[in-house]
Amino acid sequence: MNTYKIAVIPGDGIGKEVVPEGLRVLDAAAKRFALKLDYTHFDWSCETYFKTGKMMPADGLSQLRPFDSIFLGAVGYPGVPDHISLWGLLIPIRRDFEQYVNLRPVRLLRGVESPLKNARPGEIDFCVVRENCEGEYSDVGGRIFRGTEQEMAMQQTIFTRRGVDRILRYAFELARKRKKHLTSATKSNGIIHTMPFWDERFQIIGKEYPDVRTDQFHIDILTAHFVRRPEVFDVVVGSNLFGDILSDLGPAVVGSIGIAPSANLNPERKYPSMFEPVHGSAPDIAGKGIANPIGQIWSAAMMLRHFGEEKAADAIERAIEDVLVTPEFLTPDVGGKASTEIVGKAIADRVGK
Ligand code: NAI
Ligand code: MG
């Protein structure tokens, strides 16, 4: 029996409501496909921050290190500034565990209405690959002359050859397994040092993948293409900032943010990877039992796929598609009246059969 050790961090708000449904579905998959999933729960969250002044204990990362993966809900709550919840938990995990790939599939599923008038299920199916460890999100920089007329702020962008090459290679490899088409997000007309470097590496690495068709667009027109012709994309790769923007826009064009999954991967498997829905803690609906658990459940499928448990992952994805075409199993964000728990149970039921 394959055994996997999973660190579970529900976090805040609806994270606490959707994670149990993710586990319910994982348990159903484990039973059907004879896996052993061994969970350890961690209460690290903004609530913990209120009590202890820390998002996680000082040795938090070494506590997580032995696990096969981390299954996260969402962190963030009113009263705790977002940079504390982010830099106190998520970013240290992503960076120290070299989870340099942020992978977000964008697929229009049956039963979900896209805000795009002419979008049809099956036509939109691509992946955003975001660089997750360096780039524009660095803490190098500072402010001087605070509060005076000469006040100034500087923030450095960090592009290393190692960091850029490894994310590009991951994206090329992924494209090779799919429709063999890779699009790069750039802005080398305005950002004249780092972006030409990114483009240059894209060209050079591309030579190793002659079977993959490539193109590149400046980020501004690329966002327009996501809306006007999303069906042309297969894999889209971008720096931390551009990838961040694209990986919210992508899920938005295929319906509710409540459905979108993501993975923070350490492809070398030297460290645990982390799986979480794209959405945050949604304080506006927290506690009402109406959050859509599908983003969390789909993230669970991505985790099983990362373990190599393809059949179990496929079963979960199929169950999600089945449930989405059944109006009684839709949460309010996708036009229904069902509760978080009803949807979770419906998916678990189908996975178990
Ligand atoms: P959000 O994703 O929490 O919510 C945005 C909107 O989408 C809200 O109207 C919410 O009700 C709705 N929504 C989100 N998930 C849903 C679901 N599963 N089902 C139904 N509706 C859903 O983003 P927001 O409001 O910008 O951030 C709230 C908090 O979450 C902030 O503290 C933010 O920092 C944090 N956050 C954390 C993330 C993470 O843990 N990775 C990611 C994004 C935000
Ligand atoms: Mg984002």
Side-chain angles (χ1 to χ4, degrees), residues 281-346:
S281 55
D284 55 334
I285 57 163
K288 296 187 179 152
I290 54 164
N292 193 333
I294 293 180
Q296 189 77 46
I297 293 169
W298 193 349
S299 304
M302 292 183 83
M303 179 167 78
L304 293 176
R305 209 175 287 290
H306 179 71
F307 292 156
E309 301 293 349
E310 300 283 340
K311 279 190 191 144
D314 289 343
I316 295 179
E317 288 187 11
R318 268 197 311 274
I320 290 173
E321 296 209 55
D322 269 9
V323 157
L324 277 172
V325 292
T326 316
E328 64 182 293
F329 296 137
L330 298 181
T331 44
D333 58 308
V334 281
K337 292 199 179 89
S339 68
T340 308
E341 192 180 326
I342 285 178
V343 178
K345 282 183 171 161

Side-chain angles (χ1 to χ4, degrees), residues 206-227:
K207 294 207 172 77
E208 297 168 23
Y209 299 88
D211 52 322
V212 175
R213 184 162 61 87
T214 59
D215 46 21
Q216 64 183 51
F217 297 97
H218 293 308
I219 184 68
D220 38 0
I221 192 65
L222 185 55
T223 57
H225 289 325
F226 265 40
V227 174

Side-chain angles (χ1 to χ4, degrees), residues 14 18 72-78 80 82 85-86 90 94 256-259 276-285 290-293 331 333:
I14 63 167
V18 293
L72 180 95
V75 290
Y77 222 66
V80 178
D82 283 344
S85 48
L86 204 62
L90 279 181
R94 288 173 178 167
S256 168
I257 188 167
I259 292 173
E276 54 168 337
V278 166
H279 64 75
S281 55
D284 55 334
I285 57 163
I290 54 164
N292 193 333
T331 44
D333 58 308

